[in-house]
Amino acid sequence: MTFAAPLHNKSIRFRARSFVAFTLTPEAPIADWLEGLDRWIANSPGYFNGRPVVLDLNVLQPGPEEIAALVGVLGSRGIRVYAIELEGAELGPELPPLLAGAKEATAEGLLGRAARKARAEELEAAAEERVHAAQMTQSTAEAPQAEVSPIEMSGDEPVDPELARLEAVRIELAQSDTAQSGSTNAGQGAADMSAAAGTLMIKAPIRSGQSVFHPHGDVIVLGSVASGSEIVAGGSIHVYGTLRGRAIAGSEGNVSARIFCRKNEAELLAVDGWYTTAEEMEGTSRGKAVQAFLDNDALCVVPLG
Amino acid sequence: MGKVVVVTSGKGGVGKTTSTAALGAAVAKTGKKVALVDFDVGLRNLDLIMGAERRVVFDLVNVIQGTAKLSQALIRDKRLETLYLLPASQTRDKDALTEEGVAEVIARLRSVFDYVFCDSPAGIERGAQLAMRFADEAVIVTNPEVSSVRDSDRIIGLLDARTMKAEQGELIQKHVLVTRYDAARAARGEMLSIDDVLEILSTPLLGIIPESQDVLRASNLGSPVTLSEPINSAAKAYLEAARRLEGEDLPVVVPFERKGFLDRLLGRRAA
């Protein structure tokens, strides 16, 4: 009697998915770099908890033993290295796997390698431009507001040419952008992706336990954000109801991101990793309409209007 | 086609089972055919509140596993002939429930009854999710306490994401039922106000059930308060909530504390 192996017609399907991870780029001397990292962690404890971190070693170019030591040192700080970026390296199975072909996540979308370099130059140029613009506004301070900028939101600072440029680029990139951004867990049906602006508009309230993750743009919530929920946005966060949950803006390193809400009862507000908790806001900005923004690496929460 | 209503809350001990029994009995009193389904497999209670614990032979798990027919497991209420109970199993756990099995049981109940009330277990795990899975409407039972309200908010999020109706892009109708409302404590500011609860949950109000010893007593005697003591204030609130559930437009009155002569004399005031 013979047994024939059963024939499986069904083939295995492989699917590709892209995820967004934080990248740490250690620089020599490593001791100084670690010291800086520790200061940062002391400022934002728990920031790396459960977040995938990729180690970019193209700058440092360490040897295999050094890599192992570095992964260990980071592990002791609660940072789990998921993968390593190092061109031409061959790592043993005891180290995290190698990754290549990374794209930079920005407010405009994901940038390839060439675009990354171009963007670095652009940013420099924009910084110069900004200085220039600041000088300009000083001399034209009497000019009517309406002429200054259509996208200005706070009314208390000069036009930001960088912001204007981002707005323009975002519209072009909108098509490719929608695939990467989306809300997780939250009622997908309620989330209306207005692709044209790279903005995620959520018309329903955000319930406790829901988490909205939108790494490449602004998030607008028309309802309230419940205690025990979380919004993570690459850009700014606007809440037209009461904000009782956690709002994390500029999550991909955008220092100009802001958080606006009609009533601030938030558990935590964070911009670009700098955060403040409900306890710290007690008595000053709680219960009011506020905006939160970064001013020289300090998170300011000030009443609106 | 009957309507399937899940009674849920997230938090335990807020009055899901009591409310299921009271609302179910109130609707059945109007002549509608009502089935109460206990989804709290392993910790069943609804049979006790309905006073049917000594008549349970088969249960929901038996029906799902095919060891009993639905008609054998359904227990008819002795007081109301339009009211039926499908008890949960006390000896199995929630893993005995399968989605296909629950779907079939609900579909068959829906074809026979006008209303099917699903009494959800506490929590947000499998049992609670299966209880809400095939619902058309949801009654979210909430106490005016911060923890209860936050858990209810979480449940509303799940209702909007995990129910069959929500997955098909339809809206599941939701109602908040505030139970154990203590007018005296609310007046002193020791409880969340109704406005606070509704503002947080942004969901329409089905009714406010005052905290009452009579509700507890009725539960312990195995009779829903709407059947045993219909003149009681809590029973009245349940009866009105049931009418609203059936689509009637009744204004909700927030219970207030009747102040005694002495209170007024001593100048006690609400905070």
Side-chain angles (χ1 to χ4, degrees):
Chain A
M1 208 158 140
T2 52
F3 292 96
L7 280 175
H8 289 292
N9 291 330
K10 222 173 167 187
S11 59
I12 302 169
R13 292 178 67 189
F14 292 95
R15 290 209 173 104
R17 287 194 187 179
S18 67
F19 296 89
V20 174
F22 287 89
T23 307
L24 284 179
T25 312
E27 287 162 25
I30 200 75
D32 290 356
W33 183 81
L34 282 174
E35 201 181 301
L37 182 69
D38 284 338
R39 263 202 310 275
W40 203 84
I41 292 174
N43 240 317
S44 313
Y47 184 79
F48 287 104
N49 283 356
R51 293 184 193 269
V53 169
V54 174
L55 210 49
D56 180 358
L57 299 177
N58 282 315
V59 178
L60 196 64
Q61 298 280 354
E65 299 84 35
E66 286 175 84
I67 297 179
L70 193 56
V71 168
V73 163
L74 291 175
S76 69
R77 285 168 170 78
I79 301 173
R80 207 168 142 207
V81 177
Y82 280 58
I84 288 171
E85 245 190 307
L86 179 56
E87 262 175 68
E90 277 177 34
L91 303 180
E94 71 283 357
L95 284 173
L98 276 175
L99 271 186
K103 289 181 174 174
E104 189 92 27
T106 68
E108 296 125 278
L110 298 180
L111 298 182
R113 205 162 169 208
R116 252 194 277 179
K117 202 171 159 228
R119 182 173 152 80
E121 284 163 11
E122 264 179 54
L123 281 177
E124 266 174 46
E128 277 172 32
E129 216 178 310
R130 206 166 10 204
V131 173
H132 185 63
Q135 288 162 351
M136 288 287 285
T137 36
Q138 272 173 1
S139 60
T140 59
E142 298 84 20
Q145 280 282 316
E147 268 182 48
V148 177
S149 167
I151 54 154
E152 189 177 355
M153 286 176 280
S154 57
D156 61 359
E157 59 166 9
V159 198
D160 188 342
E162 162 82 348
L163 202 61
R165 199 177 45 77
L166 288 184
E167 208 72 25
V169 178
R170 215 178 280 160
I171 292 162
E172 286 166 35
L173 281 166
Q175 297 299 321
S176 60
D177 204 33
T178 41
Q180 275 106 27
S181 50
S183 72
T184 51
N185 195 359
Q188 295 269 1
D192 174 19
M193 227 83 83
S194 58
T199 297
L200 180 71
M201 167 99 76
I202 299 168
K203 290 172 184 157
I206 297 185
R207 305 290 183 181
S208 181
Q210 291 181 334
S211 155
V212 174
F213 186 58
H214 185 63
H216 313 304
D218 293 1
V219 172
I220 300 175
V221 184
L222 298 186
S224 291
V225 177
S227 148
S229 67
E230 182 179 55
I231 302 176
V232 182
S236 296
I237 297 171
H238 308 254
V239 178
Y240 288 92
T242 306
L243 174 56
R244 297 191 179 86
R246 299 153 66 94
I248 296 157
S251 64
E252 314 288 328
N254 180 356
V255 290
S256 58
R258 289 181 180 224
I259 300 167
F260 303 87
C261 64
R262 268 255 292 267
K263 194 173 176 202
N264 171 30
E265 300 283 347
E267 290 165 356
L268 179 143
L269 297 175
V271 177
D272 190 26
W274 301 90
Y275 73 83
T276 176
T277 57
E279 205 173 71
E280 291 168 316
M281 290 185 278
E282 200 57 64
T284 52
S285 57
R286 299 271 290 172
K288 297 175 187 148
V290 300
Q291 64 161 325
F293 57 91
L294 280 185
D295 183 24
N296 286 328
D297 283 349
L299 185 64
C300 306
V301 184
V302 295
L304 279 172
Chain B
M1 279 292 267
K3 217 182 248 180
V4 180
V5 181
V6 61
V7 181
T8 185
S9 73
K11 195 172 182 299
V14 295
K16 279 182 298 299
T17 304
T18 308
S19 297
T20 307
L23 284 176
V27 174
K29 260 182 144 179
T30 66
K32 298 259 172 36
K33 274 192 91 176
V34 174
L36 308 179
V37 187
D38 192 349
F39 271 86
D40 206 348
V41 175
L43 288 170
R44 73 170 197 222
N45 277 161
L46 190 56
D47 54 328
L48 287 172
I49 309 265
M50 294 299 295
E53 73 276 12
R54 284 180 296 166
R55 297 197 285 146
V56 175
V57 182
F58 298 110
D59 55 53
L60 178 62
V61 172
N62 292 134
V63 178
I64 285 175
Q65 293 179 338
T67 50
K69 285 189 212 151
L70 183 57
S71 55
Q72 290 176 305
L74 280 168
I75 303 170
R76 191 158 109 184
D77 191 86
K78 281 186 171 165
R79 295 148 294 205
L80 280 174
E81 58 179 33
T82 52
L83 184 59
Y84 288 79
L85 167 71
L86 180 55
S89 169
Q90 181 74 347
T91 50
R92 311 299 183 89
D93 61 39
K94 292 179 177 77
D95 295 333
L97 297 179
T98 60
E99 184 169 335
E100 301 75 39
V102 172
E104 205 195 315
V105 170
I106 295 287
R108 286 175 55 201
L109 288 171
R110 201 197 281 270
S111 66
V112 180
F113 289 91
D114 298 313
Y115 277 90
V116 180
F117 285 92
C118 303
D119 181 24
S120 169
I124 51 171
E125 313 309 328
R126 188 180 164 78
Q129 294 202 10
L130 279 174
M132 68 168 70
R133 182 78 183 141
F134 304 99
D136 303 307
E137 291 191 23
V139 173
I140 299 115
V141 182
T142 302
N143 291 164
E145 316 279 352
V146 277
S147 53
S148 172
V149 171
R150 179 152 86 178
D151 290 359
S152 295
D153 196 62
R154 178 92 166 91
I155 278 288
I156 295 173
L158 290 177
L159 284 165
D160 284 335
R162 303 276 173 85
T163 53
M164 204 67 163
K165 248 189 148 179
E167 281 178 11
Q168 287 165 353
E170 290 172 59
L171 212 65
I172 175 161
Q173 225 182 319
K174 300 174 290 284
H175 316 266
V176 169
L177 183 67
V178 178
T179 56
R180 312 192 67 171
Y181 183 81
D182 187 330
R185 285 187 59 211
R188 289 197 297 270
E190 292 171 11
M191 275 183 154
L192 286 179
S193 74
I194 296 293
D195 286 345
D196 288 341
V197 174
L198 295 182
E199 207 266 314
I200 293 171
L201 297 180
S202 51
T203 301
L205 183 63
L206 186 68
I208 304 166
I209 314 298
E211 167 91 65
S212 157
Q213 291 303 313
D214 304 327
V215 176
L216 283 176
R217 191 177 57 237
S219 293
N220 283 328
L221 292 176
S223 169
V225 71
T226 41
L227 286 185
S228 60
E229 304 177 45
I231 46 153
N232 173 285
S233 61
K236 277 186 185 154
Y238 272 122
L239 287 165
E240 283 183 9
R243 282 164 66 189
R244 285 185 204 104
L245 195 62
E246 290 193 78
E248 212 173 307
D249 189 16
L250 280 174
V252 184
V253 181
V254 178
F256 59 91
E257 191 193 8
R258 280 200 195 84
K259 275 200 186 146
F261 173 70
L262 259 179
D263 284 336
R264 242 175 274 168
L265 201 68
L266 295 171
R268 277 182 217 164
R269 278 187 36 184

